Amino acid sequence: MSDGKQLTIHEAHRLLADRQVSSVELTRAALERIDKIEPSVRAVVTVTGEMAMEQARAADQRIASGNGNPLCGIPVLIKDVISTRGVRTTCSSKMLENYVPPYDATVMERLSGCGAVMVGKTNMDEFAMGSSTENSAFFVTHNPWDLGRVPGGSSGGSAAAVAAGEAIYALGSDTGGSIRQPASFCSVTGLKPTYGRVSRYGLVAFASSLDQIGPLTSDVTDAALVLNAISGFDRRDSTSVPLPVTDYTCGLNGDIKGLRLGVPGEYFVEGMQEEVIRAIQAAIARLEGLGAVIDWEVSLPSTPYALAVYYIIAPSEASANLARYDGVKYGFSYQDADSMWRAMEKTRQYGFGPEVKRRIMLGTYALSAGYYDAWYLKAQKVRTLIRREFDRAFESYDALITPTSPTVPFKIGEKVDDPLQMYLSDVCTLPINIAGLPAISIPAGFADGLPIGLQIIGKPFDEETILKIAHAYQQATDWHKMRPGI
Ligand code: GLN
């Protein structure tokens, strides 16, 4: 965890188990790294140093008494949209700047049960709306590969922190690409599980039918280890699915011979950077070399509608979810108003940033009486078409392979004044949320020193296969081992 080599979870676990290092030492190293790197990267909103040291001491005791959990004693950073009992959870919004949840999200309970050590909460686009962290009400996170560029978003803080070694892994959330696109931009591994695989209880809601929590890690083995810990049925989330959770590390054996992989042409969108296309083609050829059977000519014709569908459904759900921020129930409350309505208006005027307001307005419009059928209902129908196309494709293929993002990380400020350009960052990732599928982004090369990510999309609840493919690729390549020289 020092400035030199950064440890993975499985490496750190080995060292802890062999007593070559203690959790207290790992945690102190993470906190020192945070101290040193934060002035330039700015990935972390809240550092929980004292609490972390306490958790580390407890973890060391557990390890001494033979606790073999692979996450025990290992420092993690949590996206600030996941509720943490007693620790401020801001969603990078002025609305929740001083909000301290009285309870833990289910994923936090599960991580604590494993003996994880939380070193802090990470920066994000406000309420997870954005692709660059530039919508954070607090500050912009910088990409550790090039400090003048964005780390992606909305889980940009989590991705940048893992890339820069501020923690060994992080949790993010993904509504339309918010784990995978920043993973691509920061050259780390990012997994969005199947909708329903991981409990959303305690995840501050953006768009409830799309949101899913997942890990950002240094490699695929780590992603599997974190998924083992956080997934599974939770009676407090009625959309979590009561399917058994397998050990996701079991299938990581490098053997992808005969797996059928489809490459949907629609994902190579207009305006996609040449270097991205070339890197993805090379990565696919690599998978072919490992024995996978590639079909380069898959078509998912409804793909071009996904962006429009997403930007109706996500804001509609957001407008309903964010109605709770009325100055009474949660967070910021404007006090100097002469009526209740005025207080609510002022609370929202000050508490929400421009992108959040834009989404609330879009969603309210799409759901309003005269327009509901034309917008929201139509979008839901197209959503079904998109999902069916994937179902059909998965009759012939074990997984689909695409780029994660059409571009390498862009410059800070480059897209802030053009929301549509910003929305296009997620063309390759949004359809997967619309269909509720699992997908992983893994490092697949660089263009002029800037990271490129490969996306592998799986059948519902078949995280095993995409992890297997991603792992086989990482066995055969070194992209994921490269680290920014920061
Ligand atoms: N960038 C997309 C948006 O702004 C996706 C965000 C997300 O996945 N949370 O909505």
Side-chain angles (χ1 to χ4, degrees):
M1 275 297 286
S2 65
D3 287 5
K5 166 144 174 53
Q6 282 167 33
L7 295 173
T8 61
I9 296 173
H10 51 98
E11 287 163 353
H13 173 61
R14 198 67 356 267
L15 295 176
L16 286 165
D18 294 346
R19 310 290 192 277
Q20 291 184 36
V21 72
S22 68
S23 173
V24 163
E25 286 165 340
L26 279 181
T27 304
R28 198 171 289 134
L31 291 169
E32 278 166 12
R33 181 76 177 156
I34 289 173
D35 244 13
K36 188 158 167 203
I37 225 83
E38 271 306 289
S40 47
V41 175
R42 310 218 69 194
V44 183
V45 171
T46 305
V47 183
T48 48
E50 255 172 58
M51 209 182 87
M53 291 310 291
E54 228 169 83
Q55 290 174 349
R57 282 188 287 271
D60 278 331
Q61 270 170 17
R62 286 175 66 162
I63 293 165
S65 63
N67 182 307
N69 191 291
L71 301 186
C72 188
I74 299 189
V76 58
L77 279 162
I78 304 292
K79 185 178 182 182
D80 215 12
V81 69
I82 296 173
S83 302
T84 43
R85 180 157 43 90
V87 176
R88 175 172 97 111
T89 299
T90 68
C91 292
S92 288
S93 176
K94 281 195 256 176
M95 191 62 97
L96 295 178
E97 193 165 1
N98 300 307
Y99 168 63
V100 178
Y103 69 102
D104 266 331
T106 296
V107 292
M108 293 314 298
E109 278 181 359
R110 294 198 173 163
L111 287 186
S112 308
C114 295
V117 176
M118 182 180 84
V119 289
K121 306 287 299 278
T122 55
N123 193 33
M124 53 186 278
D125 288 292
E126 184 176 8
F127 284 103
M129 299 172 188
S131 308
S132 66
T133 73
E134 289 165 298
N135 294 337
S136 166
F138 307 143
F139 46 79
V140 177
T141 299
H142 298 251
N143 191 315
W145 292 93
D146 177 345
L147 295 172
R149 291 176 189 262
V150 304
S154 63
S155 314
S158 288
V162 172
E166 297 179 77
I168 295 185
Y169 69 106
L171 290 188
S173 69
D174 190 314
T175 305
S178 276
I179 290 175
R180 292 158 288 155
Q181 185 255 17
S184 173
F185 276 19
C186 294
S187 203
V188 299
T189 297
L191 172 69
K192 183 199 93 73
T194 311
Y195 185 76
R197 178 83 287 182
V198 177
S199 170
R200 291 181 295 110
Y201 180 76
L203 169 68
V204 179
F206 163 12
S208 308
S209 77
L210 302 161
D211 298 340
Q212 194 63 192
I213 296 171
L216 291 121
T217 56
S218 290
D219 69 12
V220 173
T221 305
D222 280 6
L225 289 170
V226 180
L227 191 63
N228 281 350
I230 62 173
S231 50
F233 177 66
D234 175 15
R235 61 176 179 77
R236 292 172 299 185
D237 171 4
S238 61
T239 61
S240 86
V241 173
L243 281 175
V245 178
T246 44
D247 178 351
Y248 292 105
T249 59
C250 286
L252 308 183
N253 55 13
D255 180 15
I256 59 165
K257 280 197 196 66
L259 279 183
R260 300 157 306 165
L261 308 183
V263 185
E266 289 84 359
Y267 282 74
F268 293 81
V269 294
E270 214 189 293
M272 184 168 274
Q273 284 172 352
E274 274 304 316
E275 296 92 326
V276 173
I277 299 176
R278 273 201 298 276
I280 298 308
Q281 285 170 341
I284 296 170
R286 197 67 188 239
L287 291 169
E288 192 166 31
L290 294 170
V293 181
I294 313 286
D295 184 347
W296 291 89
E297 286 182 17
V298 179
S299 177
L300 297 169
S302 301
T303 304
Y305 304 113
L307 190 76
V309 166
Y310 176 88
Y311 277 99
I312 292 168
I313 293 175
S316 295
E317 295 184 12
S319 74
N321 278 326
L322 272 59
R324 74 191 66 175
Y325 304 104
D326 54 8
V328 179
K329 300 188 209 65
Y330 297 89
F332 173 71
S333 180
Y334 185 84
Q335 295 299 334
D336 280 333
D338 46 16
S339 74
M340 185 189 81
W341 296 114
R342 188 89 184 120
M344 208 185 287
E345 188 187 323
K346 282 284 183 191
T347 294
R348 289 175 176 164
Q349 208 169 56
Y350 171 85
F352 289 141
E355 183 61 27
V356 174
K357 288 177 183 155
R358 184 178 298 124
R359 305 273 178 121
I360 292 173
M361 278 172 13
L362 277 171
T364 307
Y365 178 80
L367 291 176
S368 58
Y371 298 100
Y372 180 91
D373 287 359
W375 297 108
Y376 184 72
L377 208 61
K378 184 64 133 299
Q380 291 290 19
K381 287 179 182 164
V382 182
R383 180 176 194 174
T384 304
L385 289 180
I386 293 173
R387 194 182 292 141
R388 284 197 194 134
E389 267 176 28
F390 276 114
D391 287 347
R392 266 198 303 280
F394 283 122
E395 287 168 11
S396 312
Y397 308 103
D398 298 300
L400 300 168
I401 312 285
T402 74
T404 305
S405 160
T407 66
V408 296
F410 45 88
K411 292 208 173 89
I412 291 174
E414 194 179 319
K415 301 191 183 194
V416 270
D417 297 324
D418 190 347
L420 275 181
Q421 273 307 315
M422 193 68 98
Y423 295 175
L424 280 167
S425 289
D426 298 296
V427 272
C428 300
T429 50
L430 310 163
I432 287 74
N433 301 68
I434 289 174
L437 304 171
I440 191 166
S441 178
I442 51 173
F446 292 85
D448 291 331
L450 297 172
I452 297 169
L454 176 76
Q455 177 171 245
I456 307 173
I457 308 161
K459 297 176 189 172
F461 299 101
D462 189 16
E463 280 82 2
E464 265 165 291
T465 300
I466 58 172
L467 287 164
K468 180 198 272 293
I469 298 164
H471 176 259
Y473 182 78
Q474 289 191 343
Q475 297 285 92
T477 56
D478 281 334
W479 302 120
H480 65 290
K481 293 187 184 147
M482 300 186 178
R483 280 291 174 247
I486 182 163

